[in-house]
Amino acid sequence: MFANFKNKLCGVVALLALLATATVFADDPPPTPEELVKIKAANGECLTCHSEAGLKKPPKEGLDLKKLRHYLVDLDTYTASDHGQMACSKCHGDGYDKHPHDAKAKEGLSECQDCHARKAMRIERQFDKSVHAENLSDSFTCTTCHDAHVMTLASKLRDPHKIVAQDNKICLDCHDSDLAFAKIAPEKKKRPPIDDIHSWLPNTRLHWQAVRCIECHTPAEDKLSLSHEIQNKDKAEKKCATCHSANTSLNARLYRHLAKEEQNKYGFLNSVILSNSYVVGATRNPSLDWIVIGLFVATVVGVIGHGLVRIITTRMRRSKNHD
Ligand code: HEC
Ligand code: HEC
Ligand code: HEC
Ligand code: HEC
Ligand code: HEC
Ligand code: HEC
Ligand code: HEC
């Protein structure tokens, strides 16, 4: 009877100890103002070296500055990010208060799954089916895309241009760079130039600024949050009308964080899109469409006209030179 009670007590004590040592979970309450002051001070310690200022004026001699140069964390970007209120040590563990750092310190790095168990389970299931996980299983992980010091949720950024810039940077940093691509691609696989692949899309560079790669490369049915399943290229979206139509799919995706709040302000959804970036065909106002198409045609005619004038003037100049 007593033994049984002791066992139970041990169990409770073990559980309490486990809870006390566990890291912060993503659904824990945010830090109190007092805690935040302590966190900022502790992070400031790390940044005495890991910042531009630290690199210029290191607080200690004999540091490996060549390495440190690649290891800087920008305080403003960090503070604005999803993890901006966290202590560096929550993810980086112990061993970083020694200089040079403990060789073993690296091993203490927490993974996304440690703190985001529930969310990560859903996302991992999608990611496992993606082309990257299937073709590059050993090397491609969550942190290949996610910089834990930088990323900010789309619902916090809200401005479609900022969301697109953040999310496309991830893909373009690799798919638009031979060096980065070769680091992770199977041997001999050449990087297909990103604009050539999408040559059927007019003005690709403008599209990269206005719309996300994942808009076309993830399953369309996943409306609540974007899926992490980057699909095979033959499943990618090619129909212009998916975006350029009255019920554009972008309302449920890229523009959804705007729609909710600003709907009331503007009265109807399409004006939200209108005020940010005009998507041809996405309004219910055909005459506006014609104006934009007219402008587009005028631009093309302008460019061709400019070319013609140049050709004529160079010809004239050449024939003058011959005289
Ligand atoms: C006195 C300067 C200094 C301070 C303070 C400092 N670091 Fe470093 N850190 C360095 C230098 C120099 C390097 C590169 C050389 C190396 O790898 O040891 C580095 C490398 C790192 C690396 C990458 C290499 C690895 O082992 O993973 C991480 C991560 C890191 N530091 C985290 C931290 C954290 C977290 C803090 C605060 C708790 C911190 N550092 C405080 C100087 C410092
Ligand atoms: C939410 C978790 C998390 C927090 C909080 C965090 N880091 Fe990191 N940090 C990581 C991960 C994950 C990596 C490894 C990235 C990789 O493998 O490429 C990393 C890498 C680093 C590196 C190595 C350089 C690099 O880019 O690979 C340095 C230096 C570093 N962190 C410093 C800091 C400092 C300083 C803070 C606090 C201001 C901090 N980190 C807060 C997760 C975090
Ligand atoms: C040590 C614990 C820890 C680790 C490791 C960690 N996070 Fe977080 N994460 C948090 C906390 C705490 C928050 C703040 C929760 C909030 O603001 O709602 C957060 C917030 C977030 C958010 C925004 C809110 C949400 O729940 O979606 C995202 C996205 C996120 N983390 C992604 C990641 C990714 C990706 C990784 C791996 C690179 C990672 N985290 C690693 C603790 C962690
Ligand atoms: C191919 C690049 C890529 C990989 C790999 C990746 N992510 Fe993401 N992740 C993104 C992009 C882009 C977004 C922003 C999409 C959005 O706004 O919903 C995002 C958003 C998130 C979010 C916030 C949105 C949400 O659905 O809650 C979390 C959390 C997250 N990722 C966790 C993870 C985890 C965990 C892994 C590893 C199993 C992972 N990611 C792997 C690119 C990636
Ligand atoms: C660190 C590099 C890297 C990042 C980041 C990255 N990719 Fe990839 N991606 C690759 C490599 C390498 C391949 C080729 C894999 C193979 O087939 O061997 C690939 C393949 C693909 C494919 C082709 C699938 C097919 O059918 O051939 C698509 C589509 C794709 N990536 C989209 C994306 C999108 C969208 C993002 C951003 C959310 C992204 N990638 C981020 C490296 C990357
Ligand atoms: C408007 C929709 C759309 C957008 C936006 C888009 N893609 Fe694609 N992508 C496609 C389609 C459709 C294909 C298949 C093309 C084909 O087979 O002719 C494709 C093919 C690819 C491939 C396969 C290349 C190959 O042949 O091996 C990669 C990699 C890729 N896209 C990456 C990206 C990246 C990175 C971005 C963002 C910068 C992006 N895509 C934006 C629709 C899109
Ligand atoms: C995934 C959504 C999406 C798809 C699919 C898509 N577009 Fe777009 N497109 C956009 C967005 C968003 C803009 C707005 C750009 C801006 O004005 O900021 C745009 C802009 C344009 C423009 C205006 C470019 C300029 O120079 O002003 C043209 C033309 C265009 N798209 C044609 C097409 C054609 C043709 C297709 C099919 C082959 C297509 N788009 C497929 C989202 C998409």
Tab-separated table of all heavy atoms in Angstrom, residues 43 46-47 50 70-71 73 78 83 86-88 91-92 109-110 143 148-149, ligand 2:
chain	number	residue	atom	x	y	z
A	43	ASN	N	19.584	38.214	-24.557
A	43	ASN	CA	19.832	38.218	-26.004
A	43	ASN	C	20.869	39.271	-26.376
A	43	ASN	O	21.677	39.075	-27.290
A	43	ASN	CB	18.531	38.463	-26.779
A	43	ASN	CG	17.584	37.278	-26.703
A	43	ASN	OD1	17.902	36.272	-26.064
A	43	ASN	ND2	16.437	37.382	-27.339
A	46	CYS	N	24.367	37.925	-26.351
A	46	CYS	CA	24.754	37.213	-27.583
A	46	CYS	C	25.103	38.220	-28.680
A	46	CYS	O	26.048	38.041	-29.433
A	46	CYS	CB	23.627	36.318	-28.082
A	46	CYS	SG	22.974	35.159	-26.856
A	47	LEU	N	24.291	39.300	-28.731
A	47	LEU	CA	24.458	40.244	-29.831
A	47	LEU	C	25.668	41.169	-29.656
A	47	LEU	O	26.029	41.879	-30.585
A	47	LEU	CB	23.169	41.058	-30.029
A	47	LEU	CG	21.979	40.208	-30.489
A	47	LEU	CD1	20.717	41.048	-30.597
A	47	LEU	CD2	22.250	39.513	-31.824
A	50	HIS	N	27.314	38.824	-32.038
A	50	HIS	CA	26.593	38.413	-33.248
A	50	HIS	C	25.830	39.549	-33.906
A	50	HIS	O	24.633	39.412	-34.209
A	50	HIS	CB	25.649	37.255	-32.928
A	50	HIS	CG	26.364	35.985	-32.639
A	50	HIS	ND1	26.803	35.145	-33.632
A	50	HIS	CD2	26.753	35.411	-31.481
A	50	HIS	CE1	27.417	34.108	-33.098
A	50	HIS	NE2	27.410	34.234	-31.791
A	70	HIS	N	29.591	35.387	-40.899
A	70	HIS	CA	28.459	34.668	-41.500
A	70	HIS	C	27.375	34.351	-40.481
A	70	HIS	O	26.381	33.723	-40.809
A	70	HIS	CB	28.944	33.362	-42.128
A	70	HIS	CG	29.961	33.565	-43.197
A	70	HIS	ND1	29.639	34.087	-44.429
A	70	HIS	CD2	31.292	33.358	-43.215
A	70	HIS	CE1	30.738	34.182	-45.158
A	70	HIS	NE2	31.756	33.742	-44.444
A	71	TYR	N	27.588	34.736	-39.244
A	71	TYR	CA	26.695	34.322	-38.164
A	71	TYR	C	26.022	35.501	-37.482
A	71	TYR	O	25.840	35.491	-36.279
A	71	TYR	CB	27.488	33.541	-37.105
A	71	TYR	CG	27.994	32.186	-37.536
A	71	TYR	CD1	29.056	31.583	-36.868
A	71	TYR	CD2	27.406	31.492	-38.585
A	71	TYR	CE1	29.523	30.321	-37.231
A	71	TYR	CE2	27.866	30.238	-38.961
A	71	TYR	CZ	28.926	29.664	-38.289
A	71	TYR	OH	29.378	28.424	-38.652
A	73	VAL	N	22.993	38.165	-36.516
A	73	VAL	CA	21.535	38.194	-36.379
A	73	VAL	C	21.123	39.658	-36.259
A	73	VAL	O	21.620	40.379	-35.385
A	73	VAL	CB	21.089	37.406	-35.127
A	73	VAL	CG1	19.588	37.548	-34.905
A	73	VAL	CG2	21.474	35.939	-35.246
A	78	TYR	N	14.873	40.276	-36.108
A	78	TYR	CA	14.588	39.224	-35.132
A	78	TYR	C	13.390	39.604	-34.264
A	78	TYR	O	12.466	38.811	-34.072
A	78	TYR	CB	15.818	38.965	-34.264
A	78	TYR	CG	15.599	37.889	-33.213
A	78	TYR	CD1	15.591	36.549	-33.581
A	78	TYR	CD2	15.374	38.214	-31.883
A	78	TYR	CE1	15.371	35.553	-32.640
A	78	TYR	CE2	15.150	37.221	-30.933
A	78	TYR	CZ	15.152	35.891	-31.319
A	78	TYR	OH	14.923	34.909	-30.392
A	83	HIS	N	9.560	34.611	-33.596
A	83	HIS	CA	10.278	34.204	-32.387
A	83	HIS	C	10.923	35.385	-31.659
A	83	HIS	O	11.755	35.197	-30.782
A	83	HIS	CB	11.351	33.163	-32.749
A	83	HIS	CG	10.774	31.892	-33.260
A	83	HIS	ND1	11.151	31.300	-34.434
A	83	HIS	CD2	9.809	31.079	-32.756
A	83	HIS	CE1	10.470	30.193	-34.628
A	83	HIS	NE2	9.635	30.031	-33.633
A	86	MET	N	11.522	35.536	-27.871
A	86	MET	CA	12.123	34.359	-27.229
A	86	MET	C	13.603	34.585	-26.928
A	86	MET	O	14.300	35.277	-27.653
A	86	MET	CB	12.001	33.139	-28.143
A	86	MET	CG	10.624	32.495	-28.085
A	86	MET	SD	10.525	31.175	-29.275
A	86	MET	CE	11.639	29.991	-28.564
A	87	ALA	N	14.060	33.923	-25.861
A	87	ALA	CA	15.491	33.953	-25.552
A	87	ALA	C	16.210	33.051	-26.553
A	87	ALA	O	15.724	31.971	-26.877
A	87	ALA	CB	15.725	33.443	-24.139
A	88	CYS	N	17.371	33.506	-27.026
A	88	CYS	CA	18.176	32.705	-27.953
A	88	CYS	C	18.410	31.312	-27.361
A	88	CYS	O	18.383	30.307	-28.063
A	88	CYS	CB	19.523	33.355	-28.206
A	88	CYS	SG	19.490	35.130	-28.534
A	91	CYS	N	16.267	27.955	-27.902
A	91	CYS	CA	16.525	27.058	-29.030
A	91	CYS	C	17.976	26.568	-29.040
A	91	CYS	O	18.237	25.447	-29.430
A	91	CYS	CB	16.228	27.754	-30.348
A	91	CYS	SG	14.478	28.063	-30.611
A	92	HIS	N	18.902	27.427	-28.614
A	92	HIS	CA	20.312	27.082	-28.781
A	92	HIS	C	20.923	26.338	-27.602
A	92	HIS	O	22.054	25.877	-27.677
A	92	HIS	CB	21.133	28.339	-29.106
A	92	HIS	CG	20.903	28.802	-30.513
A	92	HIS	ND1	21.364	28.101	-31.595
A	92	HIS	CD2	20.223	29.855	-31.007
A	92	HIS	CE1	20.997	28.719	-32.700
A	92	HIS	NE2	20.297	29.780	-32.380
A	109	LEU	N	20.687	22.082	-30.168
A	109	LEU	CA	19.720	22.867	-30.941
A	109	LEU	C	18.348	22.183	-30.983
A	109	LEU	O	18.240	21.015	-31.344
A	109	LEU	CB	20.252	23.053	-32.368
A	109	LEU	CG	19.433	23.945	-33.296
A	109	LEU	CD1	19.432	25.382	-32.802
A	109	LEU	CD2	19.982	23.897	-34.704
A	110	SER	N	17.302	22.924	-30.591
A	110	SER	CA	15.944	22.366	-30.643
A	110	SER	C	15.428	22.370	-32.067
A	110	SER	O	15.792	23.232	-32.860
A	110	SER	CB	14.985	23.204	-29.798
A	110	SER	OG	15.469	23.369	-28.504
A	143	THR	N	14.454	23.529	-41.715
A	143	THR	CA	15.331	24.706	-41.634
A	143	THR	C	16.008	25.031	-42.971
A	143	THR	O	16.646	26.072	-43.091
A	143	THR	CB	16.407	24.542	-40.544
A	143	THR	OG1	17.019	23.273	-40.685
A	143	THR	CG2	15.814	24.682	-39.168
A	148	ALA	N	14.713	30.629	-38.535
A	148	ALA	CA	13.963	30.840	-37.286
A	148	ALA	C	14.112	32.250	-36.747
A	148	ALA	O	13.341	32.675	-35.902
A	148	ALA	CB	14.413	29.833	-36.235
A	149	HIS	N	15.120	33.004	-37.233
A	149	HIS	CA	15.329	34.364	-36.736
A	149	HIS	C	14.613	35.408	-37.570
A	149	HIS	O	14.673	36.586	-37.265
A	149	HIS	CB	16.820	34.728	-36.717
A	149	HIS	CG	17.705	33.630	-36.275
A	149	HIS	ND1	18.601	33.005	-37.092
A	149	HIS	CD2	17.800	33.002	-35.084
A	149	HIS	CE1	19.236	32.059	-36.426
A	149	HIS	NE2	18.769	32.025	-35.217
B	2	HEC	C1	13.080	29.356	-32.482
B	2	HEC	C2	14.420	28.871	-32.358
B	2	HEC	C3	15.593	29.836	-32.422
B	2	HEC	C4	15.780	31.003	-31.707
B	2	HEC	C5	14.830	31.627	-30.702
B	2	HEC	C6	17.085	31.512	-32.081
B	2	HEC	N1	17.668	30.684	-33.008
B	2	HEC	FE1	19.524	30.863	-33.812
B	2	HEC	N2	19.209	29.218	-34.980
B	2	HEC	C7	18.094	28.406	-34.924
B	2	HEC	C8	18.248	27.315	-35.862
B	2	HEC	C9	17.225	26.211	-36.127
B	2	HEC	C10	19.516	27.473	-36.477
B	2	HEC	C11	20.195	26.553	-37.478
B	2	HEC	C12	19.936	26.948	-38.887
B	2	HEC	C13	20.544	25.965	-39.849
B	2	HEC	O1	20.665	24.797	-39.516
B	2	HEC	O2	20.879	26.415	-40.913
B	2	HEC	C14	20.097	28.682	-35.896
B	2	HEC	C15	21.351	29.184	-36.235
B	2	HEC	C16	21.960	30.235	-35.568
B	2	HEC	C17	23.307	30.702	-35.809
B	2	HEC	C18	24.277	30.063	-36.773
B	2	HEC	C19	24.350	30.792	-38.049
B	2	HEC	C20	23.398	30.361	-39.058
B	2	HEC	O3	22.719	31.237	-39.594
B	2	HEC	O4	23.341	29.166	-39.358
B	2	HEC	C21	23.546	31.757	-34.978
B	2	HEC	C22	24.808	32.569	-34.841
B	2	HEC	C23	22.344	31.964	-34.201
B	2	HEC	N3	21.410	31.033	-34.582
B	2	HEC	C24	22.197	32.943	-33.251
B	2	HEC	C25	21.034	33.222	-32.570
B	2	HEC	C26	20.845	34.348	-31.682
B	2	HEC	C27	21.914	35.365	-31.340
B	2	HEC	C28	19.556	34.290	-31.233
B	2	HEC	C29	18.839	35.265	-30.313
B	2	HEC	C30	18.860	36.666	-30.708
B	2	HEC	C31	18.934	33.104	-31.816
B	2	HEC	N4	19.848	32.507	-32.634
B	2	HEC	C32	17.629	32.682	-31.574
B	2	HEC	C33	16.997	28.574	-34.104
B	2	HEC	C34	16.789	29.641	-33.234
